[in-house]
Structure formats: C-alpha cells, structure tokens
Amino acid sequence: MARIGFIGTGEIAGHMVRGLAGRGHEIRVSERSRAVSTALAAEFPEVSVAENAAVVAQSDVVFLCLMARIVPDILPGLPWRADHAVISVMTDVTLDELCRLCAPARDIALTIPLAPISGGGCPLPVYPESPALEAVFGDRNPILPVRSEASLSAHFAVAGTLAPILLLMAEVSAWLARETGDATAADAYVASLFGGFLRPDGAPEQFQRLLTSLSTEGGLNATLRARFEDAGVPDLLRTGMDSLRPRLGLPPAAPG
Ligand SMILES: NC(=O)c1ccc[n+]([C@@H]2O[C@H](COP(=O)([O-])OP(=O)(O)OC[C@H]3O[C@@H](n4cnc5c(N)ncnc54)[C@H](OP(=O)(O)O)[C@@H]3O)[C@@H](O)[C@H]2O)c1
C-alpha cells in the first residue's frame, strides 16, 4: 500500500481521494480547499490534512491538482526527492516545466482523471508510463499509456468535449421532462439510452457503425441528424477542438 499525497484539494482531487479511500493507502491532502480537505478527513480515517511541504515530505506518490497559474509559486519551494513519483492532472503545465519545478524528482507523468474516478472505471491516458499510477489506480480504472505528450494533450481536448456533449444531453432530457412531467425519470432514461450505446466494443469505427445502424431513411434519427449537419454542428465541434491546439501545444490541424 502506498503513501499518497495531494497538492491542491479541490474538485478533481476530491473525486480521486474518494476513488482511493478504503483500499489501505495512507493519504495526505493539502489544506486548501479547506472545506474539501476537512470533509475528506472527517469521512475517511486514512485521510489527513497537512501543509503542502508535509504532504510532499511524507508521501511517495504525489498528485498535483492545482490550477496552472499558481504552479510556479508553489512547487519549487517543496521538499522534492529523487525517489518521488509525481503525477500531474493539470492542463497547461508541460512535462519539461514539471521536471524543472519538482527537481530532483524524475518519475513524473501526466494523466487526465475525471469525476467518475471516484467510483472506478475512469479511463486514464498517461504519458510517460507511470508504474505509480498503475499501482494506485490501475486495479479499478483502465490505464492507457499514450505515445507522446502531444497525444496526451489531444486527449485533454477530447475531455473538453464532455461539457458541450452533456449540454446536448441535458437539453434532450429537459425536453422529455417537459413532455412527461418527470425530470428524474427523464434523466434516467436518457442516461441509460446513451449508456447502452457507449460501451466500447473493441472493433474499429464503433461510432461510425452506430451511426450507420441509426440511418434508416426517413427515420427520426436520420431526420434530426440531417438538421444537425445542415446547421454545421459537427464542424463547430471539430473547429472548436482545433481552437484549443495552441493552448495545448498541438500543431495546427492538417489540411482537409
Ligand atoms: N475538475 C476536473 O474534472 C478536472 C479534470 C481533469 C483535470 N483537471 C485539472 O485539475 C486541476 C485542478 O482542477 P479543479 O477542477 O480540481 O480545480 P479547483 O477545484 O479550483 O482545485 C484547485 C485547488 O488548488 C487549491 N490551491 C490554491 N492555492 C493553493 C496552494 N497555495 N496550496 C495548495 N492548494 C492550493 C485551491 O484551493 P482554494 O479553493 O483554497 O483556492 C483548490 O482547492 C486543473 O489544472 C484542471 O485543469 C480538472
């Protein structure tokens, strides 16, 4: 079992701690956000709250869950060791920057957890490979090593499509609730309906095949899909993701 620390105890760290609790680890979280850190320590006996420096000094694996803008002020002053495993979940902070800010630590990796990590089953793309990530989260979450930092950044862009796609699903559910008068049942129906289609089937072009299966000429799906395409919705999503390229350090989109 591991000694695990969190620097930055906000939204995502809270989900990660919940995903680790009850599994024999010793977990230290930094004080801020105080409301989150005190709630976690009250709920889980293995979680304690400490100063940033004590979190680092008393942990073997340290997750960095800060906003990028404050990272240069916080990380260099902490007692990093060569034997630390450091795992950043932060957008907008590169591996090179982290190697500089967390020296002499060298086992440094980037990954992308999301809220479902609290219950397991959250895909965790990672670069470079991280034995520590595998050891602490790999039993309940698929760890997906990617080939380069740019590939990891591209996964960040895809994680950024959750909100626009959930916005559409919220609209669908609200429409159903207005018709039926039951918002809870509407959410449950929409979540199960889409969930049934979203289990990875391991074969190529899953989404294109699903679209083909929903393309009956004149059918409800084909009718609504044509409206989306005529309105340029797929183009809007693709160009929106492309607009994130400079921020994520990705090259311009290939023509065509
Ligand atoms: N939220 C997600 O689903 C998600 C998913 C993947 C990656 N991420 C990445 O994870 C990082 C954190 O995101 P978040 O959504 O968890 O944001 P957040 O809730 O704002 O968490 C950031 C935390 O850092 C704390 N903090 C500020 N100054 C600090 C200091 N000097 N020492 C220690 N902690 C300090 C903040 O505390 P105060 O509230 O007291 O200022 C806050 O709790 C970001 O880089 C984000 O890109 C987030």
Side-chain angles (χ1 to χ4, degrees), residues 7-13 30 32-34 52 65-68 70 74 89-91 112-115 156:
I7 300 294
T9 313
E11 174 73 21
I12 195 62
S30 60
R32 290 173 63 176
S33 300
R34 189 185 289 256
N52 290 344
C65 306
L66 297 162
M67 300 307 289
I70 62 170
I74 313 271
V89 310
M90 304 181 291
T91 42
I112 314 172
L114 289 155
F156 262 118

Side-chain angles (χ1 to χ4, degrees), residues 36-45 47 49:
V36 182
S37 61
T38 51
L40 289 169
E43 187 174 346
F44 302 111
V47 176
V49 181

Side-chain angles (χ1 to χ4, degrees), residues 87-144:
I87 302 172
S88 167
V89 310
M90 304 181 291
T91 42
D92 306 315
V93 187
T94 66
L95 207 49
D96 273 355
E97 286 173 275
L98 289 172
C99 289
R100 198 165 32 79
L101 296 170
C102 301
R106 289 182 300 273
D107 179 0
I108 300 179
L110 313 173
T111 189
I112 314 172
L114 289 155
I117 199 168
S118 60
C122 175
L124 291 171
V126 60
Y127 182 79
E129 289 196 34
S130 168
L133 184 70
E134 183 73 53
V136 299
F137 278 114
D139 58 340
R140 299 177 77 198
N141 303 274
I143 309 291
L144 311 172

Side-chain angles (χ1 to χ4, degrees), residues 22-233:
R23 312 181 72 73
H25 300 302
E26 208 178 288
I27 302 172
R28 286 181 183 77
V29 298
S30 60
E31 192 172 7
R32 290 173 63 176
S33 300
R34 189 185 289 256
V36 182
S37 61
T38 51
L40 289 169
E43 187 174 346
F44 302 111
E46 70 269 50
V47 176
S48 58
V49 181
E51 299 279 329
N52 290 344
V55 170
V56 170
Q58 294 165 25
S59 300
D60 301 312
V61 181
V62 181
F63 286 96
L64 302 177
C65 306
L66 297 162
M67 300 307 289
R69 63 179 177 279
I70 62 170
V71 158
D73 296 330
I74 313 271
L75 297 186
L78 298 177
W80 300 108
R81 302 186 306 268
D83 67 346
H84 269 129
V86 180
I87 302 172
S88 167
V89 310
M90 304 181 291
T91 42
D92 306 315
V93 187
T94 66
L95 207 49
D96 273 355
E97 286 173 275
L98 289 172
C99 289
R100 198 165 32 79
L101 296 170
C102 301
R106 289 182 300 273
D107 179 0
I108 300 179
L110 313 173
T111 189
I112 314 172
L114 289 155
I117 199 168
S118 60
C122 175
L124 291 171
V126 60
Y127 182 79
E129 289 196 34
S130 168
L133 184 70
E134 183 73 53
V136 299
F137 278 114
D139 58 340
R140 299 177 77 198
N141 303 274
I143 309 291
L144 311 172
V146 300
R147 277 185 295 185
S148 64
E149 190 167 356
S151 298
L152 199 273
S153 295
H155 285 73
F156 262 118
V158 170
T161 66
L162 280 166
I165 289 173
L166 286 172
L167 182 70
L168 295 179
M169 293 175 71
E171 194 60 44
V172 168
S173 181
W175 189 94
L176 181 58
R178 282 193 295 275
E179 299 301 311
T180 62
D182 188 339
T184 305
D187 276 353
Y189 177 70
V190 171
S192 318
L193 178 70
F194 284 90
F197 277 84
L198 292 179
R199 285 188 272 278
D201 69 9
E205 304 200 331
Q206 173 171 351
F207 296 111
Q208 283 305 329
R209 282 185 282 107
L210 286 171
L211 281 171
T212 302
S213 75
L214 293 167
S215 295
T216 308
E217 196 181 339
L220 301 176
N221 271 281
T223 304
L224 279 176
R225 177 182 169 181
R227 285 195 66 153
F228 266 51
E229 286 175 337
D230 289 349
V233 175

